Amino acid sequence: MRRPIDSLFGRLALLVVAVLMLSHFAWYALMRLERSQLQTRYAVEEATFLVDAVRQHVARTPDQPLPSRVKLVDPASPDVPAASRNMPPPLARFADDVRDRMPADTQVRVGPPGAPPTLWVRAATDQNWIVVPVQPLRTPRSLDRTVLWLVTIFSFAVMAALFAAWALQRPLRLLAQAVARFGRGLPVPPVPERGPRELRQLTHGFNQMVQEVARTENDRAVMLAGVAHDLKTPLARLRLRAEMMDDAKTRDGVVRDVDSMTHIVEQFLLFAHDGADRSEAVEVDAQCERVVRSYRAVATGAPTVQTELNAGPSFLLPAATLDRILSNLLDNAHAYGAPPVIVATARTPQGFTLLVSDNGKGIAAQDLINASRPFVRLDPARGGNGHSGLGLAIVERLVRRAGGEWEIGNHGGCGLRVLMSFPFEVLPRVATASENAW
């Protein structure tokens, strides 16, 4: 199962959201702290200004009434609050800040709780207590309008960042898809060169590489197809002349050689063919049964072929591709393997599998890497008549062109095993309807 966090976009999204959340949280905490300190400083400045204004008023115009909520209280009055040592931390800091702004030996007290907040100040030169109102020192609430604005800004920032991350990873995703198609041997259209400079350079290099590989492959295919095509006419004339020979032993030998050469030429043409298979999609299980039945009837001396077909009707492949895959693998098993040969299909959670195995000696471990290379014969004993070293190379090319993957190896020392896997998404479209009905 694919994990969203395992993709580039998922990791970019997680990183962006985490960074934005951390920065917004830090900004909010700093703003709350700064607002609390600013409120305290403003209250201290206001209280200090009022106390100085009252002193100047008393010194200059003692007969004039004081402003409302400002009063002078006799030190002997019972209304004078007692010096408290258990004030809340904000009030204690406020009183200390006011005391620092006043002359030395100034007494600073805070009015009793439950009443409008007042500040009581008396310096050594003051005859009475000066009582002035102060701003309430409220602790910032946990949820206020700032949180709403913070959430709104954070949401828009996340959406913009996710869009930027998507736009940044999209060219890379297109390039990854093109690389996957190129690895399976499928046609690869030019990838748009978008994104940052490094990504554009990478995409440009990939497009050039695909063009050079396609040009080289096309030149090789044209050369190979031309040579093979030109050989067909002389081989047909040679076979016709061989049929007219009087010596039966010589005639049969020449005919066998001509047939071997004709088979090699046909393999050349098949390997050189690089077009898409436009044949009708057929059920793999039914087609395998028909091909095996025909192979048993036609191939004289062929080993026993058994079938284990369990994929169901939803496993579909182009008919020509499937016939070529099976014929090459059965011919290979006939030439180099030992009975019984097994053709098996199965359905897995990821897709379907097609397996062809025999019980011969298999291929040496050091030779497995070269088994599917074109024109490579692993040892002289595997030469035989009519074999060009293209059988497994053709099978690999056909499987990859159909969107599948293949795995070649020996199974427990009991012969060669070729396992082909086809994911659901690469199967012909008609397979979807069949699968839903299955």
Side-chain angles (χ1 to χ4, degrees):
M1 183 177 66
R2 293 183 177 179
R3 297 180 299 172
I5 196 62
D6 195 38
S7 64
L8 176 62
F9 177 73
R11 297 191 179 188
L12 282 176
L14 180 62
L15 177 63
V16 165
V17 172
V19 170
L20 286 176
M21 185 175 295
L22 179 61
S23 63
H24 279 69
F25 176 79
W27 172 79
Y28 181 65
L30 182 62
M31 186 188 65
R32 283 170 59 89
L33 178 62
E34 184 64 23
R35 184 175 64 177
S36 176
Q37 294 178 350
L38 181 63
Q39 183 187 34
T40 302
R41 288 196 299 267
Y42 182 79
V44 169
E45 293 291 339
E46 183 183 40
T48 304
F49 174 78
L50 286 176
V51 170
D52 290 340
V54 170
R55 283 175 180 160
Q56 293 178 11
H57 176 82
V58 171
R60 296 177 182 177
T61 56
D63 296 335
Q64 297 294 327
L66 293 171
S68 62
R69 297 185 61 190
V70 176
K71 58 185 178 179
L72 299 175
V73 179
D74 187 87
S77 173
D79 295 334
V80 177
S84 177
R85 297 182 179 275
N86 297 321
M87 289 188 297
L91 288 178
R93 288 194 298 269
F94 171 72
D96 292 339
D97 290 342
V98 173
R99 190 177 294 110
D100 292 339
R101 298 291 302 274
M102 296 294 174
D105 299 330
T106 300
Q107 301 180 58
V108 177
R109 299 179 186 179
V110 178
T118 56
L119 180 69
W120 295 62
V121 178
R122 185 186 179 208
T125 58
D126 296 330
Q127 296 181 358
N128 300 309
W129 285 92
I130 301 175
V131 183
V132 296
V134 295
Q135 287 188 354
L137 297 177
R138 299 189 182 94
T139 303
R141 292 172 292 178
S142 58
L143 294 177
D144 54 15
R145 188 178 300 176
T146 307
V147 176
L148 178 61
W149 282 105
L150 185 67
V151 172
T152 303
I153 296 173
F154 177 78
S155 301
F156 279 103
V158 167
M159 288 188 292
L162 291 181
F163 177 77
W166 174 82
L168 181 64
Q169 64 86 36
R170 186 170 181 270
L172 194 59
R173 179 170 57 87
L174 295 177
L175 181 60
Q177 294 174 351
V179 171
R181 289 179 58 87
F182 182 72
R184 292 198 301 266
L186 300 176
V188 181
V191 182
E193 299 176 11
R194 301 171 182 169
R197 181 180 66 254
E198 294 81 3
L199 188 55
R200 294 198 305 270
Q201 292 175 348
L202 178 62
T203 306
H204 181 72
F206 174 78
N207 288 335
Q208 283 188 327
M209 180 189 69
V210 170
Q211 293 175 0
E212 290 297 327
V213 171
R215 187 180 298 110
T216 303
E217 189 72 15
N218 183 67
D219 293 342
R220 185 179 67 170
V222 170
M223 180 185 67
L224 190 60
V227 173
H229 183 271
D230 292 343
L231 287 176
K232 293 181 68 175
T233 301
L235 286 174
R237 292 198 301 264
L238 186 61
R239 181 183 176 87
L240 178 62
R241 293 173 182 175
E243 294 288 353
M244 300 174 62
M245 291 182 178
D246 296 331
D247 188 351
K249 185 176 181 180
T250 303
R251 181 181 65 245
D252 293 341
V254 174
V255 169
R256 282 196 302 271
D257 291 340
V258 172
D259 290 341
S260 297
M261 295 175 65
T262 302
H263 178 72
I264 293 174
V265 169
E266 291 175 353
Q267 292 287 78
F268 281 0
L269 290 174
L270 180 59
F271 182 77
H273 176 68
D274 197 30
D277 188 354
R278 303 186 182 278
S279 59
E280 181 184 2
V282 296
E283 295 182 11
V284 173
D285 287 2
Q287 188 68 8
C288 286
E289 189 64 45
R290 285 193 291 269
V291 171
V292 169
R293 191 184 308 115
S294 175
Y295 188 78
R296 292 171 184 158
V298 174
T300 305
T304 304
V305 181
Q306 301 175 359
T307 56
E308 299 176 4
L309 308 175
N310 303 309
S314 56
F315 186 15
L316 305 177
L317 284 176
T321 295
L322 181 59
D323 289 346
R324 291 166 182 168
I325 290 174
L326 290 176
S327 62
N328 277 280
L329 291 178
L330 291 176
D331 286 344
N332 189 76
H334 184 191
Y336 312 122
V341 178
I342 299 175
V343 178
T345 61
R347 181 189 178 104
T348 67
Q350 293 76 30
F352 296 97
T353 60
L354 172 60
L355 172 69
V356 178
S357 62
D358 62 63
N359 284 270
K361 296 181 180 180
I363 298 177
Q366 64 271 17
D367 293 332
L368 283 174
I369 191 173
N370 296 322
S372 61
R373 285 189 173 184
F375 309 108
V376 173
R377 294 180 180 176
L378 301 180
D379 58 72
R382 294 177 66 91
N385 292 328
H387 295 277
S388 58
L390 284 175
L392 293 178
I394 292 174
V395 171
E396 181 184 20
R397 173 171 290 195
L398 292 174
V399 170
R400 294 188 181 278
R401 191 179 297 162
E405 297 290 339
W406 88 321
E407 178 183 346
I408 182 172
N410 301 314
H411 58 107
C414 300
L416 189 66
R417 173 179 177 271
V418 179
L419 176 64
M420 295 152 281
S421 304
F422 299 89
F424 290 121
E425 58 267 18
V426 304
L427 297 178
R429 291 191 176 185
V430 286
T432 304
S434 302
E435 185 177 343
N436 294 335
W438 189 56

